[in-house]
Amino acid sequence: QVFEICVTYWSSPGDSLSILISVLPPLALPIVMAVFMRLRQQVTINASLNTDAVLKTLTDEVDMVTRNVKMIIGYQRRPQAMAKVDARIRDVNSCMKALDFINQQNLSFGPLLISAMAFGYMIYGGRKCSYKIATVGQVMAVLKALMMSGSAWSKIYEQCLVIQGSLPALIHVTTYLNMPIDLKRRMTLNRTNRRTSKQIAAIAGDMDTLP
């Protein structure tokens, strides 16, 4: 529908450049958004993983304090322990602010890109109208089509950002699932213990049969 509107209102003979300029922004929107997401993907994932690591450090520190609270109070180490916890809380706050800033930048790119393309097309359409090459209705129709396309791609872009936000959790799950396990070692130890137990039981049985 968007392309039909653009081609219909710029279908005058010999005006292929206007048709190209009208159809190009809706085509360029998903490409530019995909390139931006690809460039920002590693930055976003690193910020999220850093926030998770700092949160884990904070929980470990709090767990250590709660487990050893009597010892900390007994040895008068409460100020030092609280200073460490406060430092971890500041680290968490700074990491969460940085992550929220990155997410806001990613989220605002779509509307900013659409506004920039609409602004550029308004300048181009205004020049066409001033030279009596196009009418205001033609320019407004193509601009409406551009905004319709931009609104649709903006919703898709927001859903892609939601998917991108789940990648750090997927990385954690994949990492833990692929960590080495000691199942084979425990099976070997268990079989060795059973074999040894049978040998000891056999020796004990032989000793019981002695006269």
Side-chain angles (χ1 to χ4, degrees):
Q1 182 182 3
V2 172
F3 296 142
E4 183 180 354
I5 293 174
C6 294
V7 175
T8 300
Y9 281 91
W10 289 111
S11 58
S12 58
D15 204 9
S16 58
L17 179 62
S18 298
I19 297 176
L20 178 63
I21 294 176
S22 301
V23 176
L24 187 60
L27 288 175
L29 274 173
I31 298 174
V32 176
M33 288 179 178
V35 171
F36 179 79
M37 283 190 62
R38 182 64 182 88
L39 294 175
R40 297 281 293 180
Q41 179 177 346
Q42 198 60 41
V43 177
T44 306
I45 291 177
N46 289 339
S48 182
L49 292 177
N50 188 27
T51 302
D52 292 340
V54 175
L55 279 171
K56 185 179 183 303
T57 305
L58 175 61
T59 54
D60 292 341
E61 193 72 31
V62 172
D63 182 67
M64 186 275 294
V65 172
T66 54
R67 288 177 180 273
N68 304 304
V69 60
K70 293 183 178 181
M71 186 179 298
I72 291 173
I73 295 175
Y75 284 94
Q76 298 181 356
R77 304 291 295 178
R78 181 180 177 184
Q80 290 82 357
M82 294 305 297
K84 289 183 179 180
V85 174
D86 290 339
R88 297 293 179 267
I89 292 175
R90 286 193 295 268
D91 293 339
V92 170
N93 290 335
S94 61
C95 290
M96 293 185 69
K97 286 181 181 178
L99 180 60
D100 186 61
F101 180 71
I102 292 173
N103 290 331
Q104 289 297 326
Q105 284 182 332
N106 296 339
L107 190 61
S108 61
F109 177 75
L112 182 62
L113 178 63
I114 297 169
S115 300
M117 287 189 174
F119 179 73
Y121 189 80
M122 286 177 64
I123 295 176
Y124 173 78
R127 289 176 60 85
K128 300 282 285 187
C129 291
S130 63
Y131 291 133
K132 306 297 182 181
I133 300 176
T135 62
V136 178
Q138 290 175 331
V139 175
M140 294 303 295
V142 177
L143 187 61
K144 180 181 179 181
L146 176 61
M147 296 304 294
M148 289 169 54
S149 175
S151 177
W153 281 114
S154 180
K155 293 179 181 179
I156 297 174
Y157 175 72
E158 290 176 1
Q159 296 300 318
C160 291
L161 287 179
V162 173
I163 296 173
Q164 188 184 64
S166 63
L167 291 180
L170 181 61
I171 291 174
H172 284 306
V173 173
T174 306
T175 301
Y176 286 121
L177 286 177
N178 288 279
M179 291 182 68
I181 58 176
D182 59 345
L183 180 60
K184 291 184 178 180
R185 180 182 297 178
R186 287 190 287 116
M187 288 176 60
T188 303
L189 291 175
N190 186 24
R191 290 174 181 176
T192 303
N193 292 334
R194 290 173 60 186
R195 192 182 308 113
T196 305
S197 299
K198 288 181 180 180
Q199 293 175 357
I200 294 174
I203 295 173
D206 294 339
M207 293 180 65
D208 290 340
T209 57
L210 291 176

mmCIF file with all atom_site columns, all heavy atoms in Angstrom, residues 93-112:
data_model
loop_
_atom_site.group_PDB
_atom_site.id
_atom_site.type_symbol
_atom_site.label_atom_id
_atom_site.label_alt_id
_atom_site.label_comp_id
_atom_site.label_asym_id
_atom_site.label_entity_id
_atom_site.label_seq_id
_atom_site.pdbx_PDB_ins_code
_atom_site.Cartn_x
_atom_site.Cartn_y
_atom_site.Cartn_z
_atom_site.occupancy
_atom_site.B_iso_or_equiv
_atom_site.pdbx_formal_charge
_atom_site.auth_seq_id
_atom_site.auth_comp_id
_atom_site.auth_asym_id
_atom_site.auth_atom_id
_atom_site.pdbx_PDB_model_num
ATOM 1   N N   . ASN A 1 93  ? 24.379 0.565  41.066 1.00 0.00 ? 93  ASN A N   1
ATOM 2   C CA  . ASN A 1 93  ? 23.607 1.720  40.586 1.00 0.00 ? 93  ASN A CA  1
ATOM 3   C C   . ASN A 1 93  ? 24.219 2.312  39.320 1.00 0.00 ? 93  ASN A C   1
ATOM 4   O O   . ASN A 1 93  ? 23.502 2.659  38.368 1.00 0.00 ? 93  ASN A O   1
ATOM 5   C CB  . ASN A 1 93  ? 23.527 2.786  41.677 1.00 0.00 ? 93  ASN A CB  1
ATOM 6   C CG  . ASN A 1 93  ? 22.649 2.347  42.843 1.00 0.00 ? 93  ASN A CG  1
ATOM 7   O OD1 . ASN A 1 93  ? 21.756 1.518  42.678 1.00 0.00 ? 93  ASN A OD1 1
ATOM 8   N ND2 . ASN A 1 93  ? 22.901 2.900  44.018 1.00 0.00 ? 93  ASN A ND2 1
ATOM 9   N N   . SER A 1 94  ? 25.531 2.435  39.296 1.00 0.00 ? 94  SER A N   1
ATOM 10  C CA  . SER A 1 94  ? 26.180 3.003  38.114 1.00 0.00 ? 94  SER A CA  1
ATOM 11  C C   . SER A 1 94  ? 26.017 2.082  36.901 1.00 0.00 ? 94  SER A C   1
ATOM 12  O O   . SER A 1 94  ? 25.752 2.559  35.782 1.00 0.00 ? 94  SER A O   1
ATOM 13  C CB  . SER A 1 94  ? 27.665 3.239  38.397 1.00 0.00 ? 94  SER A CB  1
ATOM 14  O OG  . SER A 1 94  ? 28.330 2.020  38.696 1.00 0.00 ? 94  SER A OG  1
ATOM 15  N N   . CYS A 1 95  ? 26.142 0.771  37.095 1.00 0.00 ? 95  CYS A N   1
ATOM 16  C CA  . CYS A 1 95  ? 25.968 -0.167 35.980 1.00 0.00 ? 95  CYS A CA  1
ATOM 17  C C   . CYS A 1 95  ? 24.530 -0.171 35.471 1.00 0.00 ? 95  CYS A C   1
ATOM 18  O O   . CYS A 1 95  ? 24.290 -0.218 34.258 1.00 0.00 ? 95  CYS A O   1
ATOM 19  C CB  . CYS A 1 95  ? 26.378 -1.568 36.404 1.00 0.00 ? 95  CYS A CB  1
ATOM 20  S SG  . CYS A 1 95  ? 28.150 -1.785 36.651 1.00 0.00 ? 95  CYS A SG  1
ATOM 21  N N   . MET A 1 96  ? 23.578 -0.095 36.390 1.00 0.00 ? 96  MET A N   1
ATOM 22  C CA  . MET A 1 96  ? 22.180 -0.076 35.970 1.00 0.00 ? 96  MET A CA  1
ATOM 23  C C   . MET A 1 96  ? 21.839 1.218  35.249 1.00 0.00 ? 96  MET A C   1
ATOM 24  O O   . MET A 1 96  ? 21.061 1.220  34.282 1.00 0.00 ? 96  MET A O   1
ATOM 25  C CB  . MET A 1 96  ? 21.265 -0.278 37.181 1.00 0.00 ? 96  MET A CB  1
ATOM 26  C CG  . MET A 1 96  ? 21.367 -1.651 37.802 1.00 0.00 ? 96  MET A CG  1
ATOM 27  S SD  . MET A 1 96  ? 20.198 -1.940 39.146 1.00 0.00 ? 96  MET A SD  1
ATOM 28  C CE  . MET A 1 96  ? 18.664 -1.982 38.251 1.00 0.00 ? 96  MET A CE  1
ATOM 29  N N   . LYS A 1 97  ? 22.421 2.327  35.676 1.00 0.00 ? 97  LYS A N   1
ATOM 30  C CA  . LYS A 1 97  ? 22.205 3.591  34.959 1.00 0.00 ? 97  LYS A CA  1
ATOM 31  C C   . LYS A 1 97  ? 22.787 3.533  33.557 1.00 0.00 ? 97  LYS A C   1
ATOM 32  O O   . LYS A 1 97  ? 22.168 3.994  32.589 1.00 0.00 ? 97  LYS A O   1
ATOM 33  C CB  . LYS A 1 97  ? 22.833 4.741  35.746 1.00 0.00 ? 97  LYS A CB  1
ATOM 34  C CG  . LYS A 1 97  ? 22.074 5.142  36.998 1.00 0.00 ? 97  LYS A CG  1
ATOM 35  C CD  . LYS A 1 97  ? 22.763 6.299  37.702 1.00 0.00 ? 97  LYS A CD  1
ATOM 36  C CE  . LYS A 1 97  ? 22.019 6.694  38.970 1.00 0.00 ? 97  LYS A CE  1
ATOM 37  N NZ  . LYS A 1 97  ? 22.720 7.809  39.689 1.00 0.00 ? 97  LYS A NZ  1
ATOM 38  N N   . ALA A 1 98  ? 23.979 2.971  33.441 1.00 0.00 ? 98  ALA A N   1
ATOM 39  C CA  . ALA A 1 98  ? 24.604 2.847  32.116 1.00 0.00 ? 98  ALA A CA  1
ATOM 40  C C   . ALA A 1 98  ? 23.776 1.946  31.207 1.00 0.00 ? 98  ALA A C   1
ATOM 41  O O   . ALA A 1 98  ? 23.562 2.258  30.025 1.00 0.00 ? 98  ALA A O   1
ATOM 42  C CB  . ALA A 1 98  ? 26.022 2.309  32.260 1.00 0.00 ? 98  ALA A CB  1
ATOM 43  N N   . LEU A 1 99  ? 23.276 0.824  31.741 1.00 0.00 ? 99  LEU A N   1
ATOM 44  C CA  . LEU A 1 99  ? 22.455 -0.079 30.944 1.00 0.00 ? 99  LEU A CA  1
ATOM 45  C C   . LEU A 1 99  ? 21.139 0.580  30.528 1.00 0.00 ? 99  LEU A C   1
ATOM 46  O O   . LEU A 1 99  ? 20.699 0.433  29.376 1.00 0.00 ? 99  LEU A O   1
ATOM 47  C CB  . LEU A 1 99  ? 22.173 -1.357 31.729 1.00 0.00 ? 99  LEU A CB  1
ATOM 48  C CG  . LEU A 1 99  ? 21.312 -2.409 31.039 1.00 0.00 ? 99  LEU A CG  1
ATOM 49  C CD1 . LEU A 1 99  ? 21.974 -2.885 29.751 1.00 0.00 ? 99  LEU A CD1 1
ATOM 50  C CD2 . LEU A 1 99  ? 21.048 -3.577 31.970 1.00 0.00 ? 99  LEU A CD2 1
ATOM 51  N N   . ASP A 1 100 ? 20.524 1.314  31.448 1.00 0.00 ? 100 ASP A N   1
ATOM 52  C CA  . ASP A 1 100 ? 19.276 1.998  31.115 1.00 0.00 ? 100 ASP A CA  1
ATOM 53  C C   . ASP A 1 100 ? 19.515 3.081  30.064 1.00 0.00 ? 100 ASP A C   1
ATOM 54  O O   . ASP A 1 100 ? 18.685 3.281  29.163 1.00 0.00 ? 100 ASP A O   1
ATOM 55  C CB  . ASP A 1 100 ? 18.679 2.610  32.383 1.00 0.00 ? 100 ASP A CB  1
ATOM 56  C CG  . ASP A 1 100 ? 17.311 3.211  32.128 1.00 0.00 ? 100 ASP A CG  1
ATOM 57  O OD1 . ASP A 1 100 ? 16.393 2.472  31.738 1.00 0.00 ? 100 ASP A OD1 1
ATOM 58  O OD2 . ASP A 1 100 ? 17.150 4.441  32.305 1.00 0.00 ? 100 ASP A OD2 1
ATOM 59  N N   . PHE A 1 101 ? 20.645 3.770  30.141 1.00 0.00 ? 101 PHE A N   1
ATOM 60  C CA  . PHE A 1 101 ? 20.976 4.790  29.144 1.00 0.00 ? 101 PHE A CA  1
ATOM 61  C C   . PHE A 1 101 ? 21.153 4.161  27.757 1.00 0.00 ? 101 PHE A C   1
ATOM 62  O O   . PHE A 1 101 ? 20.669 4.685  26.744 1.00 0.00 ? 101 PHE A O   1
ATOM 63  C CB  . PHE A 1 101 ? 22.244 5.527  29.565 1.00 0.00 ? 101 PHE A CB  1
ATOM 64  C CG  . PHE A 1 101 ? 22.672 6.603  28.609 1.00 0.00 ? 101 PHE A CG  1
ATOM 65  C CD1 . PHE A 1 101 ? 21.954 7.778  28.502 1.00 0.00 ? 101 PHE A CD1 1
ATOM 66  C CD2 . PHE A 1 101 ? 23.799 6.427  27.816 1.00 0.00 ? 101 PHE A CD2 1
ATOM 67  C CE1 . PHE A 1 101 ? 22.346 8.780  27.609 1.00 0.00 ? 101 PHE A CE1 1
ATOM 68  C CE2 . PHE A 1 101 ? 24.201 7.409  26.929 1.00 0.00 ? 101 PHE A CE2 1
ATOM 69  C CZ  . PHE A 1 101 ? 23.471 8.586  26.824 1.00 0.00 ? 101 PHE A CZ  1
ATOM 70  N N   . ILE A 1 102 ? 21.823 3.011  27.711 1.00 0.00 ? 102 ILE A N   1
ATOM 71  C CA  . ILE A 1 102 ? 22.014 2.317  26.428 1.00 0.00 ? 102 ILE A CA  1
ATOM 72  C C   . ILE A 1 102 ? 20.675 1.843  25.866 1.00 0.00 ? 102 ILE A C   1
ATOM 73  O O   . ILE A 1 102 ? 20.407 1.977  24.660 1.00 0.00 ? 102 ILE A O   1
ATOM 74  C CB  . ILE A 1 102 ? 22.984 1.144  26.609 1.00 0.00 ? 102 ILE A CB  1
ATOM 75  C CG1 . ILE A 1 102 ? 24.392 1.658  26.908 1.00 0.00 ? 102 ILE A CG1 1
ATOM 76  C CG2 . ILE A 1 102 ? 23.011 0.254  25.376 1.00 0.00 ? 102 ILE A CG2 1
ATOM 77  C CD1 . ILE A 1 102 ? 25.382 0.579  27.262 1.00 0.00 ? 102 ILE A CD1 1
ATOM 78  N N   . ASN A 1 103 ? 19.805 1.310  26.725 1.00 0.00 ? 103 ASN A N   1
ATOM 79  C CA  . ASN A 1 103 ? 18.497 0.850  26.258 1.00 0.00 ? 103 ASN A CA  1
ATOM 80  C C   . ASN A 1 103 ? 17.648 2.004  25.744 1.00 0.00 ? 103 ASN A C   1
ATOM 81  O O   . ASN A 1 103 ? 16.930 1.858  24.738 1.00 0.00 ? 103 ASN A O   1
ATOM 82  C CB  . ASN A 1 103 ? 17.768 0.121  27.387 1.00 0.00 ? 103 ASN A CB  1
ATOM 83  C CG  . ASN A 1 103 ? 18.395 -1.213 27.720 1.00 0.00 ? 103 ASN A CG  1
ATOM 84  O OD1 . ASN A 1 103 ? 18.997 -1.853 26.849 1.00 0.00 ? 103 ASN A OD1 1
ATOM 85  N ND2 . ASN A 1 103 ? 18.265 -1.656 28.954 1.00 0.00 ? 103 ASN A ND2 1
ATOM 86  N N   . GLN A 1 104 ? 17.729 3.150  26.409 1.00 0.00 ? 104 GLN A N   1
ATOM 87  C CA  . GLN A 1 104 ? 16.978 4.318  25.942 1.00 0.00 ? 104 GLN A CA  1
ATOM 88  C C   . GLN A 1 104 ? 17.508 4.814  24.601 1.00 0.00 ? 104 GLN A C   1
ATOM 89  O O   . GLN A 1 104 ? 16.733 5.230  23.729 1.00 0.00 ? 104 GLN A O   1
ATOM 90  C CB  . GLN A 1 104 ? 17.040 5.435  26.993 1.00 0.00 ? 104 GLN A CB  1
ATOM 91  C CG  . GLN A 1 104 ? 16.244 5.165  28.250 1.00 0.00 ? 104 GLN A CG  1
ATOM 92  C CD  . GLN A 1 104 ? 14.765 5.031  27.976 1.00 0.00 ? 104 GLN A CD  1
ATOM 93  O OE1 . GLN A 1 104 ? 14.218 5.697  27.095 1.00 0.00 ? 104 GLN A OE1 1
ATOM 94  N NE2 . GLN A 1 104 ? 14.095 4.164  28.729 1.00 0.00 ? 104 GLN A NE2 1
ATOM 95  N N   . GLN A 1 105 ? 18.826 4.766  24.419 1.00 0.00 ? 105 GLN A N   1
ATOM 96  C CA  . GLN A 1 105 ? 19.391 5.143  23.128 1.00 0.00 ? 105 GLN A CA  1
ATOM 97  C C   . GLN A 1 105 ? 18.908 4.209  22.022 1.00 0.00 ? 105 GLN A C   1
ATOM 98  O O   . GLN A 1 105 ? 18.530 4.661  20.933 1.00 0.00 ? 105 GLN A O   1
ATOM 99  C CB  . GLN A 1 105 ? 20.920 5.120  23.200 1.00 0.00 ? 105 GLN A CB  1
ATOM 100 C CG  . GLN A 1 105 ? 21.533 6.301  23.917 1.00 0.00 ? 105 GLN A CG  1
ATOM 101 C CD  . GLN A 1 105 ? 23.048 6.236  23.904 1.00 0.00 ? 105 GLN A CD  1
ATOM 102 O OE1 . GLN A 1 105 ? 23.635 5.163  23.845 1.00 0.00 ? 105 GLN A OE1 1
ATOM 103 N NE2 . GLN A 1 105 ? 23.688 7.388  23.953 1.00 0.00 ? 105 GLN A NE2 1
ATOM 104 N N   . ASN A 1 106 ? 18.938 2.909  22.312 1.00 0.00 ? 106 ASN A N   1
ATOM 105 C CA  . ASN A 1 106 ? 18.476 1.947  21.307 1.00 0.00 ? 106 ASN A CA  1
ATOM 106 C C   . ASN A 1 106 ? 16.997 2.141  20.979 1.00 0.00 ? 106 ASN A C   1
ATOM 107 O O   . ASN A 1 106 ? 16.593 2.049  19.817 1.00 0.00 ? 106 ASN A O   1
ATOM 108 C CB  . ASN A 1 106 ? 18.706 0.521  21.808 1.00 0.00 ? 106 ASN A CB  1
ATOM 109 C CG  . ASN A 1 106 ? 20.178 0.196  21.988 1.00 0.00 ? 106 ASN A CG  1
ATOM 110 O OD1 . ASN A 1 106 ? 21.043 0.846  21.416 1.00 0.00 ? 106 ASN A OD1 1
ATOM 111 N ND2 . ASN A 1 106 ? 20.465 -0.814 22.785 1.00 0.00 ? 106 ASN A ND2 1
ATOM 112 N N   . LEU A 1 107 ? 16.202 2.414  22.007 1.00 0.00 ? 107 LEU A N   1
ATOM 113 C CA  . LEU A 1 107 ? 14.760 2.548  21.804 1.00 0.00 ? 107 LEU A CA  1
ATOM 114 C C   . LEU A 1 107 ? 14.404 3.824  21.052 1.00 0.00 ? 107 LEU A C   1
ATOM 115 O O   . LEU A 1 107 ? 13.448 3.859  20.278 1.00 0.00 ? 107 LEU A O   1
ATOM 116 C CB  . LEU A 1 107 ? 14.045 2.512  23.152 1.00 0.00 ? 107 LEU A CB  1
ATOM 117 C CG  . LEU A 1 107 ? 12.515 2.401  23.128 1.00 0.00 ? 107 LEU A CG  1
ATOM 118 C CD1 . LEU A 1 107 ? 12.087 1.107  22.443 1.00 0.00 ? 107 LEU A CD1 1
ATOM 119 C CD2 . LEU A 1 107 ? 11.957 2.463  24.538 1.00 0.00 ? 107 LEU A CD2 1
ATOM 120 N N   . SER A 1 108 ? 15.171 4.894  21.271 1.00 0.00 ? 108 SER A N   1
ATOM 121 C CA  . SER A 1 108 ? 14.853 6.171  20.639 1.00 0.00 ? 108 SER A CA  1
ATOM 122 C C   . SER A 1 108 ? 15.396 6.289  19.220 1.00 0.00 ? 108 SER A C   1
ATOM 123 O O   . SER A 1 108 ? 15.100 7.277  18.533 1.00 0.00 ? 108 SER A O   1
ATOM 124 C CB  . SER A 1 108 ? 15.416 7.328  21.481 1.00 0.00 ? 108 SER A CB  1
ATOM 125 O OG  . SER A 1 108 ? 16.830 7.235  21.575 1.00 0.00 ? 108 SER A OG  1
ATOM 126 N N   . PHE A 1 109 ? 16.189 5.310  18.773 1.00 0.00 ? 109 PHE A N   1
ATOM 127 C CA  . PHE A 1 109 ? 16.759 5.414  17.436 1.00 0.00 ? 109 PHE A CA  1
ATOM 128 C C   . PHE A 1 109 ? 15.686 5.313  16.353 1.00 0.00 ? 109 PHE A C   1
ATOM 129 O O   . PHE A 1 109 ? 15.743 6.024  15.351 1.00 0.00 ? 109 PHE A O   1
ATOM 130 C CB  . PHE A 1 109 ? 17.815 4.327  17.221 1.00 0.00 ? 109 PHE A CB  1
ATOM 131 C CG  . PHE A 1 109 ? 18.392 4.313  15.842 1.00 0.00 ? 109 PHE A CG  1
ATOM 132 C CD1 . PHE A 1 109 ? 19.301 5.273  15.447 1.00 0.00 ? 109 PHE A CD1 1
ATOM 133 C CD2 . PHE A 1 109 ? 18.009 3.331  14.921 1.00 0.00 ? 109 PHE A CD2 1
ATOM 134 C CE1 . PHE A 1 109 ? 19.828 5.271  14.168 1.00 0.00 ? 109 PHE A CE1 1
ATOM 135 C CE2 . PHE A 1 109 ? 18.537 3.322  13.646 1.00 0.00 ? 109 PHE A CE2 1
ATOM 136 C CZ  . PHE A 1 109 ? 19.452 4.299  13.263 1.00 0.00 ? 109 PHE A CZ  1
ATOM 137 N N   . GLY A 1 110 ? 14.712 4.413  16.535 1.00 0.00 ? 110 GLY A N   1
ATOM 138 C CA  . GLY A 1 110 ? 13.671 4.229  15.530 1.00 0.00 ? 110 GLY A CA  1
ATOM 139 C C   . GLY A 1 110 ? 12.871 5.496  15.270 1.00 0.00 ? 110 GLY A C   1
ATOM 140 O O   . GLY A 1 110 ? 12.797 5.963  14.120 1.00 0.00 ? 110 GLY A O   1
ATOM 141 N N   . PRO A 1 111 ? 12.236 6.102  16.296 1.00 0.00 ? 111 PRO A N   1
ATOM 142 C CA  . PRO A 1 111 ? 11.518 7.356  16.059 1.00 0.00 ? 111 PRO A CA  1
ATOM 143 C C   . PRO A 1 111 ? 12.404 8.485  15.540 1.00 0.00 ? 111 PRO A C   1
ATOM 144 O O   . PRO A 1 111 ? 11.956 9.290  14.711 1.00 0.00 ? 111 PRO A O   1
ATOM 145 C CB  . PRO A 1 111 ? 10.953 7.702  17.454 1.00 0.00 ? 111 PRO A CB  1
ATOM 146 C CG  . PRO A 1 111 ? 10.858 6.395  18.150 1.00 0.00 ? 111 PRO A CG  1
ATOM 147 C CD  . PRO A 1 111 ? 12.020 5.596  17.668 1.00 0.00 ? 111 PRO A CD  1
ATOM 148 N N   . LEU A 1 112 ? 13.657 8.531  16.003 1.00 0.00 ? 112 LEU A N   1
ATOM 149 C CA  . LEU A 1 112 ? 14.563 9.566  15.514 1.00 0.00 ? 112 LEU A CA  1
ATOM 150 C C   . LEU A 1 112 ? 14.856 9.373  14.029 1.00 0.00 ? 112 LEU A C   1
ATOM 151 O O   . LEU A 1 112 ? 14.887 10.353 13.260 1.00 0.00 ? 112 LEU A O   1
ATOM 152 C CB  . LEU A 1 112 ? 15.855 9.531  16.322 1.00 0.00 ? 112 LEU A CB  1
ATOM 153 C CG  . LEU A 1 112 ? 16.910 10.587 15.971 1.00 0.00 ? 112 LEU A CG  1
ATOM 154 C CD1 . LEU A 1 112 ? 16.372 11.982 16.217 1.00 0.00 ? 112 LEU A CD1 1
ATOM 155 C CD2 . LEU A 1 112 ? 18.186 10.357 16.771 1.00 0.00 ? 112 LEU A CD2 1
#
